[in-house]
Amino acid sequence: MASNEQQPLLGASRIRSRSHDSSNISGNQQTYNADSDSSAGAWWASRSRDVLSLFTVLLLLGAGLGIWVYGTLPTSDHDEHPHEYALSTARIHEHLERLEDIAGQHNGSRSVATGHAASADYVVAQLRAHGNCDVHVQRFKSPVWTVNGEPRLSVRAPVRVDFIHEADFGVMRYGGNGANIADAPVAVVGAACAAADVGDVSGKVAIARASSHCTAFETAFLLEQLGARAVVFVRAARYTAPSRARVRIVDWKEGDPLMTVPVLSVTHSVGQLLEGADGVRVSIATDTRIDVVETRNVVCVGSTGDAAHTVLVGAHLDSVAAGPGINDNGSGAATALEIHLTLARIRFRPNSRLVFAWWGAEEDGLLGSRHFARVLAHGWKNRWTDREPIPVRWSDIALNLNFDMLASPNYIALVHNGTDASQAARAGSQRIQRVFEDYFARHEFPYQLTDMRGGSDFLPFIENGVPAGGVLAGASEIKSIDERRKRGGMARTPLDPCYHRECDTLLNINLEALQRLSRAAMYAVSTLATTPDLRGYLAGNA
């Protein structure tokens, strides 16, 4: 660093030297120098206006040249796709914080029997305070199956054998209410689909097999109607664990039957004992319960855009009973909410009307989206349908975008494969897939395709001929070594180790995944909603 002491300036020494020499200069010469200074000032005064004018012209030419050069440069990605960058990951996270608070107030869960109603109230309040849509609540009934205690299964044939829960047997979901059955005889019925296929099962435990001609529910319900005290399904030899499948009508609606007697699944080896030994007696104890509760969908119908080309954006809002569901599916629900609020804030004007929906009872079998489709596509009604109509016609819906789990900690960016859609919805679903692929290609983000055969709320749409698509970050799928090399993360580990567990909290959220996939969602929403002739595009005409 230089010293603070001031050094004499070279110019100052020259001035002192010239002052010393000036003592030899005559007075006349001093007068001449003063007159020269006066002439120079006069010249500058006469020319200053011209100089300033020239400077102004040069400045304007430079500015114009700069504007021309800037205009010829490529625009930034931010300029080309402003809606993506308007979406705030921090605001999405704030919604997730609120959803976690709600779960904390409802026994650590946001299921339809716990915190889902409060979650729906939060979404409705946000839409009415900051959104730009007509908000509607669509009420319906959902069955809730609860396990209160561990089941027991034992056999006396003639020696007593106690089986291990989850290794040898399990209670199938929606497999009836609790019961305590001691030393009941068995009736082996095989793959029964009609009463004519069944012998005497009254007062007995029916031992059944799955049939390719009817569902497990149809078999079990038939056996219950014929007097069976319980139903036990024997799995095929290729399965090493009992089934956890639902024993219920897939597209259940209010008024449909539910099982009341216990329904169990056993491994093939246990089944051989039950089917083959003489004089088998079975004891079963279950502590389960089925309740039918009221729940709801929240539907936000946009006020601008062509209603005949409606883009319906959906995400389920409920969690499983076991946890708060912050990734599954707080991440998708919060993203859909913030996309709508952002578009309202920036006064987005779509060509096609936007409708946002937050489904209830997805974790109970897609019941919210199925109810929406049943009412709109097939005219089904319940006690609330006429009092709370949704101003959307099924024929108006051009496509559905579904966002389910966008922030898995060991994520892979997944795009739904439109080829899996039904024939009527396939071409449009493939075009939606292409929009998402364009986003990942532009950003050079890795991604891969995943099937679109079931498991989330796009299903009722493609089943009824409406194209659908979406992105997700993965659930219980195990990341392979090859996927780890290409996508990063941890091999031989689930994409979401906390899937359907109590640890699905804010700590389970991968912020990089949330930002990338929420922006992919915003890109798809804003792009498709502004596409001219949307139905023509979906049909492959553009």
Side-chain angles (χ1 to χ4, degrees):
M1 176 178 283
S3 169
N4 290 329
E5 182 181 354
Q6 294 185 356
Q7 302 295 327
L9 298 174
L10 179 61
S13 64
R14 288 178 176 172
I15 290 171
R16 284 195 298 271
S17 174
R18 289 179 180 177
S19 297
H20 176 73
D21 292 343
S22 67
S23 59
N24 297 323
I25 299 175
S26 68
N28 289 336
Q29 189 173 359
Q30 293 178 20
T31 302
Y32 171 79
N33 290 339
D35 290 344
S36 297
D37 291 344
S38 175
S39 299
W43 180 88
W44 169 249
S46 64
R47 297 290 185 268
S48 61
R49 183 175 299 174
D50 294 337
V51 172
L52 289 173
S53 298
L54 178 62
F55 178 76
T56 301
V57 170
L58 291 174
L59 183 64
L60 291 173
L61 287 173
L65 180 63
I67 293 171
W68 178 81
V69 170
Y70 179 79
T72 63
L73 293 174
T75 56
S76 69
D77 192 67
H78 190 288
D79 294 331
E80 289 281 351
H81 306 283
H83 306 111
E84 285 177 36
Y85 297 93
L87 185 67
S88 167
T89 308
R91 287 198 180 99
I92 297 173
H93 199 271
E94 288 173 4
H95 298 312
L96 294 178
E97 291 171 4
R98 183 65 188 115
L99 293 178
E100 185 168 81
D101 290 342
I102 290 170
Q105 296 161 10
H106 294 84
N107 200 30
S109 173
R110 296 186 305 100
S111 71
V112 296
T114 55
H116 174 259
S119 301
D121 290 342
Y122 172 74
V123 170
V124 168
Q126 289 289 308
L127 293 173
R128 287 178 173 161
H130 309 293
N132 181 26
C133 64
D134 296 326
V135 182
H136 300 267
V137 174
Q138 187 182 44
R139 302 177 196 275
F140 61 98
K141 293 280 191 174
S142 172
V144 176
W145 187 66
T146 307
V147 178
N148 298 311
E150 188 165 309
R152 297 190 305 274
L153 172 65
S154 62
V155 172
R156 184 164 55 85
V159 178
R160 179 185 173 95
V161 179
D162 294 315
F163 296 107
I164 301 172
H165 179 227
E166 295 184 343
D168 299 321
F169 80 100
V171 182
M172 298 179 72
R173 287 184 290 169
Y174 292 88
N177 292 309
N180 200 336
I181 301 168
D183 283 336
V186 303
V188 178
V189 300
C193 292
D197 303 329
V198 181
D200 179 20
V201 296
S202 181
K204 300 176 182 178
V205 173
I207 311 300
R209 296 263 180 169
S211 171
S212 58
H213 302 292
C214 59
T215 67
F217 172 79
E218 289 168 337
T219 296
F221 189 67
L222 168 67
L223 295 170
E224 178 181 323
Q225 295 298 103
L226 294 174
R229 297 181 66 187
V231 179
V232 177
F233 281 97
V234 179
R235 297 211 82 183
R238 65 181 179 274
Y239 299 108
T240 59
S243 173
R244 287 270 301 153
R246 291 186 183 94
V247 190
R248 195 197 68 195
I249 295 173
V250 173
D251 192 12
W252 189 93
K253 62 184 180 299
E254 185 177 359
D256 284 344
L258 294 160
M259 293 300 302
T260 60
V261 303
V263 182
L264 280 65
S265 171
V266 298
T267 61
H268 183 70
S269 58
V270 173
Q272 286 181 309
L273 175 60
L274 295 175
E275 292 173 330
D278 294 330
V280 172
R281 294 277 175 163
V282 175
S283 295
I284 296 172
T286 61
D287 188 4
T288 59
R289 177 175 172 176
I290 298 180
D291 297 294
V292 177
V293 302
E294 177 188 320
T295 188
R296 69 202 71 176
N297 296 323
V298 176
V299 183
C300 159
V301 181
S303 56
T304 60
D306 186 352
H309 297 78
T310 293
V311 174
L312 193 149
V313 182
H316 79 85
L317 186 56
D318 62 313
S319 76
V320 294
I326 301 306
N327 183 37
D328 183 18
N329 181 40
S331 60
T335 292
L337 176 59
E338 190 55 36
I339 286 175
H340 173 78
L341 298 181
T342 299
L343 294 178
R345 186 171 61 253
I346 65 176
R347 298 183 180 180
F348 178 71
R349 290 293 178 264
N351 292 339
S352 300
R353 180 177 65 175
L354 281 167
V355 173
F356 289 79
W358 289 266
W359 310 119
E362 189 269 359
E363 299 291 5
D364 297 301
L366 319 182
L367 295 186
S369 55
R370 290 185 188 278
H371 174 73
F372 182 86
R374 185 187 305 113
V375 171
L376 270 66
H378 305 292
W380 188 84
K381 294 185 178 182
N382 64 13
R383 71 191 73 181
W384 298 287
T385 307
D386 291 333
R387 284 187 290 154
E388 301 172 348
I390 304 296
V392 177
R393 296 182 304 176
W394 189 257
S395 59
D396 289 339
I397 302 173
L399 63 94
N400 166 242
L401 297 176
N402 185 67
F403 303 121
D404 191 352
M405 301 182 66
L406 304 187
S408 304
N410 194 31
Y411 83 104
I412 296 174
L414 301 170
V415 176
H416 280 304
N417 189 343
T419 305
D420 293 330
S422 64
Q423 183 64 40
R426 186 170 301 154
S429 298
Q430 290 171 324
R431 300 288 276 186
I432 296 168
Q433 172 191 327
R434 185 182 301 176
V435 172
F436 286 109
E437 290 180 312
D438 288 346
Y439 167 85
F440 287 105
R442 174 164 50 84
H443 288 286
E444 299 183 345
F445 293 154
Y447 76 95
Q448 62 192 50
L449 297 181
T450 190
D451 69 79
M452 194 167 61
R453 299 187 182 95
S456 196
D457 290 301
F458 56 78
L459 191 61
F461 292 91
I462 61 175
E463 286 180 338
N464 287 279
V466 173
V471 287
L472 61 158
S476 59
E477 306 94 322
I478 304 298
K479 181 175 284 187
S480 69
I481 294 175
D482 185 58
E483 288 171 333
R484 188 264 175 213
R485 290 193 186 105
K486 294 177 180 178
R487 319 292 185 214
M490 297 181 66
R492 301 192 181 97
T493 303
L495 301 185
D496 183 357
C498 288
Y499 175 63
H500 284 186
R501 297 175 59 193
E502 64 182 358
C503 56
D504 188 8
T505 65
L506 282 170
L507 295 176
N508 195 45
I509 294 297
N510 185 316
L511 291 177
E512 178 185 85
L514 183 62
Q515 182 180 76
R516 287 186 179 184
L517 272 64
S518 64
R519 287 185 174 179
M522 172 62 100
Y523 172 71
V525 170
S526 58
T527 298
L528 290 165
T530 54
T531 298
D533 186 18
L534 179 59
R535 291 188 186 271
Y537 168 79
L538 295 172
N541 299 333

